[in-house]
């Protein structure tokens, strides 16, 4: 993959490319096509001003329907995505991307998890490729090149309509023939099977590099939960991995249980790794500890020549006698990698029930949701 044009060393270089941007104010990204809307979600607010004054800043997605965020013809590279919606929608929307006219998505990840906010509760993220800013301004700087077209969609799996604001910025006119395709896959173990590691990625064929992991980890027992090792099985690996970590907090760049004495679990967010989210029990309906952690392999991509048979992570705590205790936690992972082909083996598409996390602090998830969610038959 070629270096990102955002590198300071190359920022001044003159390149024969053009920048385009797709948003509700310019659905096809055409040159000079922005700000021309005469109808949209902001038309009523701009009734005294007319066209050019924020007529179409957002789009409503009806329950059960899919919105096409962007459709791009020819070769290019997505360089930035900004998007926002209500927090209640972060685990009910599915983000997908399709490259070069493929019918199968290369990206299929819950909206919130893609932006390191998998629990439906905001966490500030200050990394090089993902920035999550108050209150739910989500940004991706992952380079997403394609050789013959790109399509981004969002599916609303919920029972209510949702409103989404977004902007997809991309370049055209460059040479992307040697670039890999960006892939993102989501898996959840809820709860994790007994004596079974959580699978992060499996059965990938082709050449490429693994570049990132996000995990929303829900703890279902007392004590420390992060003794488990992460393992990368590369190329011809079968029974044993080429890369074997030393513990969960170690992989995500922390140490000693993320526990600063006197402060407990301590959030952190850096360009390449972090644990930006710690959700603590409230003594009532928020009964378990919840964590969000990311690790971007930007300076240390994990290269593979023929494929990735598997990436998995153990869930281990402690029992008496200083013995490891296999845990049955709620683990949802997002794996990010570049591949020499636009499609790859992927897990089945998650259902709304597979995605669900409890909204807010009420006994029933629908109570306090916005908009209100009436009882269903």
């Amino acid at each position: 993959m070629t270096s990102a044009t955002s590198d300071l060393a190359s920022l001044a270089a003159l390149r024969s490319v053009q920048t385009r941007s797709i948003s509700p104010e310019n659905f096809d990204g055409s040159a000079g096509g922005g700000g021309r809307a005469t109808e949209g979600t902001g038309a009523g607010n701009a009734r005294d001003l007319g066209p050019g004054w924020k007529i179409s800043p957002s789009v409503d997605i009806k329950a059960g329907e899919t919105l096409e965020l962007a459709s791009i013809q020819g070769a290019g590279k997505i360089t930035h995505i900004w998007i926002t919606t209500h927090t209640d929608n972060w685990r009910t929307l599915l983000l997908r991307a399709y490259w070069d006219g493929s019918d199968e998505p290369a990206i299929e990840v819950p909206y919130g998890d893609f932006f390191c906010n998998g629990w439906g509760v905001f966490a500030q993220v200050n990394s090089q490729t993902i920035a999550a800013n108050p209150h739910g301004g989500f940004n991706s700087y992952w380079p997403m090149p394609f050789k013959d077209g790109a399509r981004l969609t969002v599916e609303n799996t919920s029972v209510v309509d949702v409103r989404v604001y977004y902007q997809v910025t991309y370049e055209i006119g460059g040479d992307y023939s040697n670039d890999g395709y960006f892939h993102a896959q989501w898996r959840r173990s809820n709860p994790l099977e007994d004596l079974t590691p959580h699978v992060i990625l499996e059965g990938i064929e082709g050449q490429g590099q693994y570049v990132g992991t996000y995990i929303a980890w829900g703890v279902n027992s007392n004590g420390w939960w992060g003794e488990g090792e992460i393992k990368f099985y590369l190329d011809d690996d079968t029974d044993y991995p080429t890369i074997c970590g030393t513990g969960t907090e170690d992989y995500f760049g922390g140490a000693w249980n993320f526990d600063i004495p006197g402060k407990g679990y301590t959030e952190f967010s850096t360009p390449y790794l972090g644990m930006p989210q710690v959700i603590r029990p409230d003594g009532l309906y928020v009964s378990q500890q919840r964590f969000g952690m990311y690790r971007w392999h930007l300076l240390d991509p994990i290269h593979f020549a023929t494929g990735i048979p598997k990436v998995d992570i153990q869930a281990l705590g402690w029992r008496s006698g200083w013995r490891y205790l296999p845990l049955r936690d709620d683990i949802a992972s997002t794996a990010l990698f570049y591949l020499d082909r636009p499609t790859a083996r992927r897990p089945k598409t998650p259902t709304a029930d597979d995605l669900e996390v409890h909204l807010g602090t009420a006994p029933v998830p629908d109570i306090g949701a916005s908009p209100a969610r009436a009882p269903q038959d």
Side-chain angles (χ1 to χ4, degrees), residues 91-208:
R91 260 292 178 87
T92 65
L93 297 178
L94 271 175
L95 177 66
R96 295 188 178 96
Y98 305 78
W99 311 128
D100 291 4
S102 298
D103 294 329
E104 294 289 317
I107 298 173
E108 186 175 70
V109 178
Y111 168 98
D113 294 66
F114 187 82
F115 296 99
C116 300
N117 274 260
W119 292 112
V121 177
F122 175 74
Q124 176 80 50
V125 179
N126 305 307
S127 81
Q128 185 167 340
T129 52
I130 295 292
N133 303 317
H135 180 52
F138 290 166
N139 299 266
S140 166
Y141 288 95
W142 287 108
M144 301 181 189
F146 47 92
K147 299 172 180 64
D148 189 25
R151 189 164 68 93
L152 272 62
T153 69
V154 172
E155 179 186 357
N156 178 10
T157 70
S158 76
V159 298
V160 297
D161 299 349
V162 303
R163 179 163 290 186
V164 177
Y165 300 76
Y166 68 93
Q167 191 153 10
V168 178
T169 302
Y170 60 100
E171 67 174 45
I172 56 175
D175 181 6
Y176 315 103
S177 58
N178 293 322
D179 290 349
Y181 296 93
F182 184 74
H183 292 250
Q185 295 186 2
W186 183 85
R187 288 171 171 83
R188 187 182 191 183
S189 301
N190 182 29
L192 186 63
E193 293 293 327
D194 190 34
L195 295 172
T196 304
H198 169 76
V199 173
I200 296 173
L201 193 63
E202 188 173 33
I204 302 302
E205 297 180 351
Q207 180 187 2

Side-chain angles (χ1 to χ4, degrees), residues 13 22 76 91 94 103 118 228 308 333 372 376:
I22 291 174
R91 260 292 178 87
L94 271 175
D103 294 329
I308 300 184
S333 62
Q376 303 290 305

Side-chain angles (χ1 to χ4, degrees), residues 25 27 29 32 39 48 70 106 162 186 199 202 251 292 325 339 366 370:
E25 287 281 12
F27 282 114
E39 57 184 34
D48 296 332
V162 303
W186 183 85
V199 173
E202 188 173 33
Y251 173 69
L325 172 65
L339 195 62
D366 300 311
S370 179

